[in-house]
């Protein structure tokens, strides 16, 4: 099994576990990003309060709306990304060693090369998996309609506050419904809605991996100088490095996430967007620059936690797979030795 395939499978496994842990936060964050209230008539809800509102009015299952395609998307995205990242990084490392043998550089992949490798891998990933995420976003932002219940008492004895809002129970909104809805609205190209800001968003994992690889290299170098020959890192250290790297990347690129989410969901017809530039201009006009940072605190908690868990589990899975393959190879070689 190639090293790239090991990293791809480990990334898919780590991504699935991270997604399961943080999915309710992701659902709430997507709703915060796509909420359109230019007149600011709604009271701003905190993350926990909004989660409680979803559970109260729509049920627990809505916090996990779109989970199945999201897990498929996560496994595909992380698997594709880590596979191609390792393929391109191996090529970058080979090139760095060749330069070192010619007397140039230190033989390691530099910050710019790490950024380039991550960016190319991200572009391949986006073009292959964007349709999955369009469907997931549509399912996450689907809301049950609400109507006012008819009061059972005389209207003279019922105040306006006594009229309760009840959720109408529509047919289940599944993956098939979301796919059909997207196709009916824009055809096949609808599944690549928001692909332009998504390609720009490749800068997020690129910055993340650049920071992660740079911090990891510095940590290993410091450890090697203090403890001769020892360059290993613990699962907790990988968790913390992944969290710091994702925090930096999220803060820099969050406005693009909001623009992307807005383009793949329904909203007020007056605020429908014709493209990325139109979305940016309308958001500035109707909501101000604040609109680009809606739900940022929720996103930081969700994405930083998810990235930290993903990095930790992925690295442990890679270590385990390499150890297992090495043990099997040794056992096979021993079995082939002549008596």
């Amino acid at each position: 099994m190639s090293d790239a395939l090991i990293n791809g499978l480990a990334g898919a496994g780590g991504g699935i576990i991270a997604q399961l842990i943080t999915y309710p936060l992701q659902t709430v964050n997507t709703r915060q990003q796509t909420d359109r209230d230019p007149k600011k008539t709604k009271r701003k809800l905190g993350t926990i309060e909004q989660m409680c509102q979803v559970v109260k009015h729509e049920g627990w299952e809505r916090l996990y709306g779109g989970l199945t395609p999201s897990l498929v998307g996560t496994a595909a995205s992380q698997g594709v990304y880590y596979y191609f990242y390792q393929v391109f990084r191996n090529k970058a490392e080979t090139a760095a060693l060749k330069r070192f043998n010619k007397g140039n550089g230190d033989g390691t992949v530099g910050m710019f090369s790490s950024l380039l490798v991550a960016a190319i891998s991200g572009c391949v990933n986006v073009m292959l998996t964007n349709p999955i995420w369009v469907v997931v976003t549509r399912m996450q932002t689907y809301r049950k309609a609400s109507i006012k219940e008819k009061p059972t008492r005389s209207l003279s004895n019922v105040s306006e506050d006594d009229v309760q809002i009840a959720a109408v129970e529509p047919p289940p909104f599944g993956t098939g419904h979301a796919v059909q809805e997207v196709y009916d609205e824009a055809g096949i190209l609808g599944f690549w809605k928001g692909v332009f800001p998504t390609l720009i968003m490749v800068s997020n994992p690129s910055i993340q991996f650049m920071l992660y690889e740079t911090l990891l290299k510095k940590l290993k170098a410091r450890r090697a100088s203090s403890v001769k020959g020892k360059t290993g890192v613990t699962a907790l250290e990988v968790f913390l490095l992944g969290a710091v790297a994702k925090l930096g990347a999220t803060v820099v690129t969050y406005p693009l996430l909001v623009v992307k989410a807005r383009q793949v969901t329904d909203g007020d017809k007056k605020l429908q967007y014709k493209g990325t530039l139109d979305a940016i201009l309308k958001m500035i006009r109707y909501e101000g620059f604040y609109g680009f940072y809606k739900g940022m605190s929720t996103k930081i908690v969700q994405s930083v936690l998810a990235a930290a868990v993903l990095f930790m589990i992925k690295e442990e899975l890679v270590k385990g797979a390499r150890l297992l393959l090495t043990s099997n190879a040794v056992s096979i070689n021993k079995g082939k030795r002549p008596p």
Side-chain angles (χ1 to χ4, degrees):
M1 186 182 292
S2 69
D3 199 45
L5 186 57
I6 290 172
N7 276 271
L9 293 174
I16 287 172
I17 294 171
Q19 188 80 326
L20 286 170
I21 293 172
T22 64
Y23 196 77
L25 283 171
Q26 185 178 327
T27 297
V28 169
N29 178 243
T30 303
R31 291 190 175 205
Q32 290 172 337
Q33 290 175 341
T34 56
D35 180 48
R36 307 181 194 191
D37 184 28
K39 295 181 180 178
K40 297 179 175 62
T41 55
K42 299 177 184 176
R43 183 174 69 86
K44 184 180 177 183
L45 300 177
T47 302
I48 301 299
E49 189 177 2
Q50 191 162 354
M51 288 177 72
C52 291
Q53 288 291 320
V54 172
V55 173
K56 180 179 178 181
H57 295 296
E58 304 177 54
W60 280 99
E61 69 275 8
R62 289 315 311 156
L63 285 177
Y64 291 89
L67 178 62
T68 300
S70 180
L71 290 178
V72 173
T74 296
S77 292
Q78 299 299 340
V80 168
Y81 186 86
Y82 277 104
Y83 176 82
F84 282 103
Y85 180 83
Q86 197 60 44
V87 168
F88 295 135
R89 187 165 184 85
N90 288 343
K91 292 183 182 298
E93 288 174 350
T94 301
L97 284 173
K98 286 182 179 178
R99 288 195 302 272
F100 178 71
N101 292 332
K102 292 178 180 179
N104 299 319
D106 59 359
T108 62
V109 178
M111 186 179 292
F112 177 75
S113 295
S114 293
L115 188 65
L116 185 61
V117 165
I120 295 172
S121 305
C123 288
V124 173
N125 174 40
V126 166
M127 296 308 297
L128 292 176
T129 63
N130 195 75
I132 299 173
W133 295 115
V134 168
V135 173
V136 170
T137 302
R138 184 60 62 92
M139 293 181 73
Q140 286 176 331
T141 54
Y142 171 76
R143 285 176 168 84
K144 292 180 179 180
S146 293
I147 59 171
K148 291 186 177 182
E149 290 181 344
K150 294 179 180 179
T152 55
R153 291 175 285 168
S154 170
L155 287 175
S156 60
N157 297 325
V158 181
S159 67
E160 193 174 325
D161 292 336
D162 290 329
V163 180
Q164 301 295 317
I165 302 298
V168 179
E169 194 65 38
F173 189 75
T175 306
H177 296 91
V179 170
Q180 188 63 50
E181 192 174 88
V182 172
Y183 181 78
D184 290 344
E185 288 177 9
I188 292 294
L189 292 179
F191 293 98
W192 275 270
K193 263 189 175 182
V195 74
F196 181 69
T198 305
L199 284 171
I200 299 175
M201 274 302 301
V202 164
S203 58
N204 183 293
S206 300
I207 293 170
Q208 175 187 340
F209 270 82
M210 180 189 70
L211 291 173
Y212 176 77
E213 294 289 352
T214 302
L215 292 171
L216 184 62
K217 188 164 77 171
K218 289 183 180 297
L219 179 61
K220 285 183 175 181
R222 179 176 293 183
R223 183 148 298 164
S225 62
S226 59
V227 183
K228 192 174 181 180
K230 185 178 179 182
T231 59
V233 292
T234 66
L236 179 60
E237 287 169 333
V238 171
F239 181 93
L240 294 174
L241 288 178
V244 171
K246 189 63 176 181
L247 176 61
T250 300
V251 169
V252 172
T253 61
Y254 187 77
L256 288 169
L257 278 173
V258 177
V259 173
K260 175 184 179 291
R262 291 290 184 90
Q263 290 187 75
V264 297
T265 55
D266 290 323
D268 187 339
K269 295 298 179 184
K270 292 183 294 184
L271 300 179
Q272 287 294 304
Y273 307 127
K274 297 175 183 177
T276 302
L277 181 60
D278 185 52
I280 293 171
L281 294 176
K282 281 185 176 177
M283 286 176 67
I284 293 173
R285 178 182 176 185
Y286 292 107
E287 302 171 64
F289 287 100
Y290 164 75
F292 292 98
Y293 293 92
K294 277 188 174 180
M296 186 172 179
S297 58
T298 306
K299 184 62 180 178
I300 286 176
V301 173
Q302 182 270 324
S303 62
V304 168
L305 177 59
V309 170
L310 188 154
F311 271 110
M312 181 180 70
I313 293 174
K314 181 256 180 185
E315 291 297 334
E316 291 302 306
L317 288 174
V318 168
K319 286 179 186 176
R322 286 173 177 166
L323 183 63
L324 184 62
L325 289 173
T326 303
S327 300
N328 287 341
V330 170
S331 298
I332 292 171
N333 288 334
K334 283 183 178 179
K336 289 182 178 179
R337 287 178 185 175

